Amino acid sequence: MSKQSVDCLAFKPTHLKDALALSRQAQWPHRLEDWALALTLSQGLVAVATEPAIVGPDAAGQDGARVVGTVLMTPYGDDAATINMVIVDESMRGQGLGRRLMDEAMALAGSRPLRLVATREGLPLYEKLGFRETGIVLQHQGNAGPAPQPVTEDVAPAGAADLPNVIALDRQAFGADRSGLLARFAELGAVTLLRRNGAVVGFAALRAFGRGKVIGPVAAPDLDGAKALIGSIIAAHPGDFLRVDTTADTGLGPWLADCGLRHVGGGVAMRRPAPSPAAPPPPSTGAPAITYALASQALG
């Protein structure tokens, strides 16, 4: 039998249905709409395997092509980029295709520092590519129950005029300009604000994703602020299937479990520095903010 050839091509909307099939094979929860949103915010590649043409009375005389791998690179200006949706068809694993897709995605990213969330199985490859572990991501999900304590902070829905404040807080917390991503999240879902002494000091985004809705990103000045933001969303969606991705150092895990969102897995947060010296980010202003949920994981 002739060996199939594999080409890496630009990820286009016409590839979305095949990508969805791959994510279902991997038992990921993404809907077609989730893939489409990620692609609008990203550049990406698909690996396409072409089978040799079959000649015979039932053959059309055309080579058969199928998508056997995906990767997306989501840029945040020149500050940083995330690598998302790295999937290789189970029949093609162990042949170096994951490395090939990563090499292509890193070339797309250029000189940007990179971030990703890895499975334990992917760690050896990512470490070879210069990524280093920075923390453990904890995925919490389930049908929302009542929050353990009532929300006593000043939380309220954001309006269109609040988006610049949200973007500024997110840049301070995340360290990169994610204005395009946040504008899309605000358009597709809802954003809740936390105010103290009249000033906006935190926010939480909510949008449809997978089996239900995902809360994130969340930026808050402290643990109580994060609980107030997330708790207000949980209280407004009793019984809904919700997901929050956080890290162990936030201290949110036990509280989320008490709210009905149990720990079901996660991944390893990793970073790869820029290949060449980059200009330092501008100094932050305002109250310190902590990122309590990872938008990159919300995409993928």
Side-chain angles (χ1 to χ4, degrees):
M1 179 182 292
S2 300
K3 187 177 181 180
Q4 61 187 350
S5 62
V6 179
D7 296 310
C8 288
L9 309 175
F11 198 142
K12 298 180 179 179
T14 52
H15 296 125
L16 284 170
K17 288 186 177 179
D18 289 338
L20 177 64
L22 275 184
S23 61
R24 286 177 174 170
Q25 181 194 84
Q27 299 186 336
W28 290 10
H30 298 69
R31 308 166 301 152
L32 188 64
E33 296 90 340
D34 301 323
W35 270 102
L37 172 61
L39 184 57
T40 63
L41 296 166
S42 311
Q43 302 172 51
L45 298 127
V46 292
V48 178
T50 303
E51 305 283 355
I54 301 173
V55 179
D58 297 325
Q62 299 290 329
D63 289 350
R66 63 190 181 101
V67 173
V68 295
T70 61
V71 65
L72 293 178
M73 184 281 299
T74 309
Y76 303 122
D78 294 327
D79 299 325
T82 55
I83 304 294
N84 308 297
M85 310 305 287
V86 183
I87 310 177
V88 174
D89 187 285
E90 58 189 18
S91 69
M92 301 291 291
R93 293 172 190 169
Q95 302 179 40
L97 185 53
R99 170 65 184 260
R100 186 174 168 188
L101 286 166
M102 284 296 299
D103 285 342
E104 295 276 4
M106 290 190 297
L108 285 177
S111 61
R112 296 178 180 91
L114 296 175
R115 309 183 191 190
L116 58 77
V117 178
T119 62
R120 287 292 177 184
E121 294 77 12
L123 274 177
L125 170 61
Y126 299 133
E127 287 174 344
K128 287 178 183 177
L129 294 172
F131 288 85
R132 294 295 177 262
E133 180 176 336
T134 59
I136 302 298
V137 176
L138 307 177
Q139 182 178 327
H140 286 259
Q141 64 183 36
N143 296 105
Q149 297 94 21
V151 176
T152 58
E153 298 250 26
D154 181 6
V155 294
D162 296 308
L163 187 58
N165 281 332
V166 170
I167 291 170
L169 279 172
D170 183 76
R171 177 159 190 158
Q172 184 181 347
F174 187 77
D177 179 7
R178 300 194 294 184
S179 53
L181 177 143
L182 291 163
R184 288 291 287 145
F185 282 7
E187 177 185 344
L188 294 172
V191 177
T192 300
L193 300 181
L194 169 68
R195 288 186 172 88
R196 288 178 179 168
N197 299 318
V200 176
V201 296
F203 75 92
L206 175 73
R207 64 184 175 88
F209 175 84
R211 295 171 55 188
K213 297 180 177 69
V214 64
I215 302 172
V218 179
D222 49 42
L223 182 60
D224 287 341
K227 288 181 178 180
L229 285 161
I230 297 170
S232 69
I233 295 172
I234 289 173
H237 295 84
D240 285 2
F241 188 86
L242 299 177
R243 169 178 165 180
V244 177
D245 295 340
T246 186
T247 52
D249 59 355
T250 65
L252 278 170
W255 178 82
L256 288 169
D258 288 344
C259 295
L261 309 185
R262 70 186 191 281
H263 177 215
V264 297
V268 181
M270 306 189 80
R271 294 193 184 193
R272 180 178 185 268
S276 58
S284 61
T285 58
I290 302 172
T291 298
Y292 276 95
L294 307 176
S296 58
Q297 184 72 354
L299 280 175

